[in-house]
């Protein structure tokens, strides 16, 4: 059995193959005690048409749809997938393939999805951001500087009245954006409905005092139908924005929410809570680059990318790769997969996590003016 499986897995390796423009291409980093071609072939097989044993039911048409390992360099493998393997407009199905069973296979000791390149047909099957960087700047009519955000602290525990008092003071102090933190939703001490009602009153007062546009990001994270209800509540109250924890709600709920948010003309702020469970281990999991790219495809308008400085782990190289990927029309850099975005709007990068006035100049040097500094 083992010998036959080695042969079968190696059938998914074709180092002479040249990916077509319609292929989805993934870059994996791996470690294994098996033969390298057996290990990477197993990744390609399990994430496409293959399985752990021989199949008597496989047709010639199914064989044509196999994923192909077309490049191996030390512990890096590139795999091309025919677009026919994927349902257009269905992000959960993509992840079930390229980031599904493969992470638990015995053929690899560690496996990390470092990058994914998506073709035009796949990207265009999603809505993409409605606002993006320019649309967000239009909300504020601020074009020549970073936007400044603040998060109410303590993140949990304040009554609605105490929470709103802090928000108003921060707005009057010069902040553009204030947001809920990732785990503030609809607790008894600070309910969502009351928070929306009182925050919108305080926002109008802060705008009157300062003469500046102010925005609040309400965290709608919840069960999918409840998120839609909360988004409508924000819109009915005159809000311009919602926030959602994109990984804890999942890409299915995120797609549903974005469709409704765009119908309601609400910008979507993506918080990446839980990302480090997937991204922090540099040998196993999924890179933040991949998560950010998929979030851009689905249609968030801004997303947390790390800050280089502050309390959260993130390297300069990693953060800059993410920023380039979500802001540029075309990526053609060494160690990254080529990606063209086919007119998909830019996503506003958000730098956050333990930031303070002493690092603002450094943040500006790293990010330039197109960043939301969330202190």
């Amino acid at each position: 059995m083992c010998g036959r499986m080695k042969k079968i897995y190696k059938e998914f390796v074709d180092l002479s193959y040249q990916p077509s423009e319609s292929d989805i291409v993934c870059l994996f980093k791996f470690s294994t005690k098996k033969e390298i071609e057996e290990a990477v072939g197993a990744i390609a097989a399990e994430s496409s048409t293959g399985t752990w044993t021989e199949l008597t039911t496989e047709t010639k048409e199914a064989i044509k749809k196999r994923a192909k390992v077309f490049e191996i360099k030390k512990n890096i493998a590139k795999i091309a997938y025919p677009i026919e393997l994927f349902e257009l407009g269905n992000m959960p199905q993509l992840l079930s393939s390229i980031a599904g069973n493969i992470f638990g296979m015995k053929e690899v000791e560690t496996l990390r999805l470092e990058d994914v390149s998506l073709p035009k047909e796949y990207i265009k099957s999603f809505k993409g951001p409605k606002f993006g960087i320019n649309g967000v700047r239009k909300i504020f009519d601020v074009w020549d500087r970073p936007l400044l955000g603040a998060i109410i602290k303590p993140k949990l525990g304040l009554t609605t009245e105490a929470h709103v008092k802090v928000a108003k003071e921060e707005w009057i102090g010069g902040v553009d954006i204030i947001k809920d933190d990732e785990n503030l939703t609809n607790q008894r001490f600070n309910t969502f409905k009351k928070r929306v009602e009182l925050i919108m009153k305080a926002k109008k007062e802060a705008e009157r005092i300062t003469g500046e546009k102010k925005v609040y990001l309400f965290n709608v994270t919840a069960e999918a139908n409840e998120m839609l209800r909360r988004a409508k509540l924000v819109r009915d109250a005159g809000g311009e924005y919602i926030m959602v924890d994109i990984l804890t709600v999942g890409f299915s709920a995120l797609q549903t929410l974005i469709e409704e948010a765009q119908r309601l003309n609400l910008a979507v702020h993506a918080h990446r809570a839980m990302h480090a469970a997937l991204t922090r281990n540099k040998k196993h999991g999924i890179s933040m680059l991949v998560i950010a790219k998929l979030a851009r495809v689905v249609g968030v308008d801004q997303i947390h990318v790390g800050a280089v400085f502050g309390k959260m782990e993130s390297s300069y190289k990693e953060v800059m790769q993410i920023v380039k990927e979500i802001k540029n029309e075309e990526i053609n850099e060494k160690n990254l997969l080529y990606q063209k975005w086919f007119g998909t709007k830019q996503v506003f990068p958000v730098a956050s996590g333990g930031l303070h006035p002493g690092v603002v100049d450094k943040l500006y040097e790293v990010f330039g003016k197109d960043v939301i500094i969330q202190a």
Side-chain angles (χ1 to χ4, degrees):
M1 178 67 74
C2 290
R4 290 203 301 273
M5 286 316 302
K6 283 184 182 181
K7 180 177 181 297
I8 291 169
Y9 285 151
K10 288 180 179 180
E11 289 175 0
F12 286 79
V13 179
D14 183 355
L15 301 181
S16 66
Y17 180 73
Q18 294 293 320
S20 73
E21 289 186 356
S22 65
D23 284 348
I24 289 177
V25 177
C26 291
L27 188 155
F28 291 99
K29 181 165 65 178
F30 67 94
S31 65
T32 183
K33 291 182 178 178
K34 305 281 188 179
E35 290 182 32
I36 287 180
E37 288 197 5
E38 176 190 354
V40 296
I43 297 168
E46 184 66 30
S47 57
S48 63
T49 65
T51 188
W52 63 275
T53 188
E54 291 180 281
L55 297 174
T56 59
T57 54
E58 192 171 36
T59 63
K60 290 181 180 179
E61 285 301 311
I63 290 173
K64 289 179 182 178
K65 295 180 178 67
R66 286 176 173 177
K68 297 177 180 66
V69 181
F70 66 92
E71 184 177 304
I72 306 169
K73 290 184 178 179
K74 295 183 178 180
N75 66 333
I76 300 293
K78 294 180 182 178
I79 301 178
Y81 298 82
I83 189 69
E84 292 85 0
L85 292 175
F86 303 97
E87 179 184 351
L88 299 179
N90 186 340
M91 191 59 72
Q93 188 268 338
L94 174 73
L95 288 166
S96 294
S97 298
I98 66 171
N101 287 348
I102 53 177
F103 291 108
M105 296 188 71
K106 292 180 179 179
E107 280 73 19
V108 291
E109 293 200 319
T110 61
L111 181 66
R112 193 168 197 254
L113 176 58
E114 294 282 1
D115 198 0
V116 58
S117 178
L118 301 168
K120 181 178 182 179
E121 184 181 9
Y122 194 81
I123 289 175
K124 288 297 186 181
S125 70
F126 293 85
K127 291 184 175 297
K130 180 170 184 175
F131 291 84
I133 292 177
N134 288 338
V136 169
R137 286 198 173 281
K138 189 174 181 180
I139 292 173
F140 293 91
D141 194 25
V142 172
W143 303 93
D144 59 352
R145 63 168 174 84
L147 296 177
L148 181 60
I151 309 163
I152 306 297
K153 299 293 184 179
K155 62 170 68 177
L156 293 177
L158 294 178
T159 64
T160 309
E161 291 79 6
H163 183 97
V164 172
K165 181 177 182 292
V166 176
K168 184 177 177 181
E169 290 172 352
E170 290 181 341
W171 271 324
I172 293 172
V175 167
D176 303 301
I177 301 168
I178 298 175
K179 63 180 279 297
D180 290 338
D181 223 338
E182 74 279 357
N183 52 356
L184 178 63
T185 53
N186 186 40
Q187 286 88 335
R188 283 176 289 182
F189 55 81
N190 190 348
T191 65
F192 188 86
K193 184 177 181 180
K194 186 175 182 181
R195 186 162 70 255
V196 171
E197 178 186 344
L198 296 187
I199 279 288
M200 293 308 294
K201 290 180 181 178
K203 178 176 108 70
K204 290 178 182 177
E205 181 65 9
E207 288 175 335
R208 184 190 65 79
I209 292 170
T210 64
E212 300 169 346
K213 178 66 178 177
K214 305 296 181 182
V215 160
Y216 194 92
L217 314 184
F218 294 99
N219 183 11
V220 301
T221 299
E223 178 273 331
N225 289 320
E226 180 60 26
M227 288 199 295
L228 303 187
R229 287 190 286 269
R230 292 179 187 179
K232 186 175 186 303
L233 193 154
V234 171
R235 178 72 272 178
D236 289 347
E240 303 94 342
Y241 253 100
I242 57 171
M243 167 185 148
V244 61
D245 300 334
I246 63 172
L247 293 175
T248 58
V249 304
F251 275 94
S252 174
L254 179 62
Q255 284 186 242
T256 300
L257 177 64
I258 284 175
E259 183 171 349
E260 177 68 357
Q262 293 188 355
R263 186 185 72 81
L264 295 171
N265 204 37
L266 292 168
V268 178
H269 175 98
H271 195 291
R272 60 179 187 165
M274 201 179 78
H275 82 92
L278 303 172
T279 66
R280 189 165 186 175
N281 187 330
K282 304 308 179 187
K283 293 183 178 180
H284 193 83
I286 304 172
S287 73
M288 186 60 210
L289 177 70
V290 171
I291 293 169
K293 289 176 78 167
L294 300 186
R296 182 180 183 181
V297 172
V298 169
V300 307
D301 296 292
Q302 55 198 54
I303 187 170
H304 292 243
V305 298
V308 183
F309 316 99
K311 69 178 183 179
M312 308 300 282
E313 183 273 335
S314 57
S315 69
Y316 173 84
K317 179 182 177 182
E318 178 186 27
V319 171
M320 285 300 96
Q321 285 179 341
I322 297 167
V323 170
K324 289 176 183 177
E325 195 69 68
I326 64 174
K327 286 173 62 175
N328 292 339
E329 169 61 19
E330 189 172 10
I331 299 294
N332 190 10
E333 293 192 7
K334 185 179 179 181
N335 300 324
L336 293 179
L337 295 176
Y338 174 78
Q339 182 67 65
K340 190 170 182 179
W341 282 97
F342 305 101
T344 304
K345 289 180 181 177
Q346 300 169 301
V347 175
F348 226 138
V350 179
S352 66
L355 303 182
H356 55 84
V359 298
V360 170
D361 57 337
K362 295 178 182 178
L363 289 167
Y364 192 85
E365 288 177 11
V366 170
F367 288 93
K369 69 181 179 66
D370 283 330
V371 62
I372 298 172
I373 299 174
Q374 194 84 55

